[in-house]
Amino acid sequence: MDIILAFVWGMITVVYTLMALVVVQMRKSVKELESQIRDTNETLQDVYKQLEEKESSLIRYTDELHHNNENYMNELYHNIDSRFDNNENNMNELYRYIDSRFDKFENKVINKKEILKG
């Protein structure tokens, strides 16, 4: 019976020793995994920060393009508007000139009619 008891105690010791080794290995693996998770989290935070910077850069660029487009459209509108005003002024001058010439012509015709009437 002593031999069986010694055998059982030996087996229990071996089992507990193996369990202790497994626990130590698991603890080591968990620490390595925690370290990898921490590194991955830091990398993700860096990537997220870079994405935010890129997004804000793209937003600024888009705003700048929008602003430039508005300025260009306003400038184009004012140029067209000023050209229209300029054309309108030219047409008014042309009408005045034609009216003046027609009035002179009419006066000459009336004068010649009066001369012919006598």
Side-chain angles (χ1 to χ4, degrees):
M1 178 94 169
D2 287 334
I3 295 175
I4 293 178
L5 191 59
F7 177 75
V8 170
W9 279 112
M11 289 302 290
I12 291 175
T13 305
V14 168
V15 168
Y16 279 130
T17 304
L18 287 175
M19 285 176 58
L21 286 175
V22 168
V23 167
V24 168
Q25 285 290 357
M26 295 278 282
R27 188 174 174 105
K28 185 179 177 184
S29 295
V30 167
K31 284 185 180 182
E32 287 176 7
L33 287 173
E34 284 177 345
S35 175
Q36 289 177 356
I37 289 171
R38 195 176 312 111
D39 291 344
T40 303
N41 190 23
E42 288 173 2
T43 303
L44 283 174
Q45 286 177 354
D46 289 343
V47 168
Y48 183 72
K49 185 177 180 180
Q50 289 174 357
L51 283 174
E52 283 181 335
E53 289 172 358
K54 188 59 93 172
E55 179 186 24
S56 64
S57 172
L58 286 172
I59 288 172
R60 279 192 306 272
Y61 180 68
T62 303
D63 289 344
E64 182 180 335
L65 285 176
H66 179 70
H67 179 72
N68 288 344
N69 187 38
E70 280 184 348
N71 286 344
Y72 177 75
M73 293 303 289
N74 286 336
E75 184 179 319
L76 186 62
Y77 174 76
H78 290 301
N79 285 342
I80 289 173
D81 194 36
S82 67
R83 286 181 186 164
F84 179 74
D85 288 342
N86 197 13
N87 285 340
E88 188 175 341
N89 289 338
N90 288 341
M91 289 300 292
N92 287 336
E93 286 180 34
L94 180 63
Y95 290 144
R96 279 194 298 269
Y97 179 77
I98 290 172
D99 189 46
S100 168
R101 292 288 133 193
F102 188 76
D103 287 344
K104 279 186 171 183
F105 175 72
E106 186 179 30
N107 285 337
K108 283 183 182 180
V109 169
I110 291 174
N111 285 339
K112 285 191 180 189
K113 218 181 201 184
E114 287 178 2
I115 291 175
L116 290 175
K117 278 187 177 178

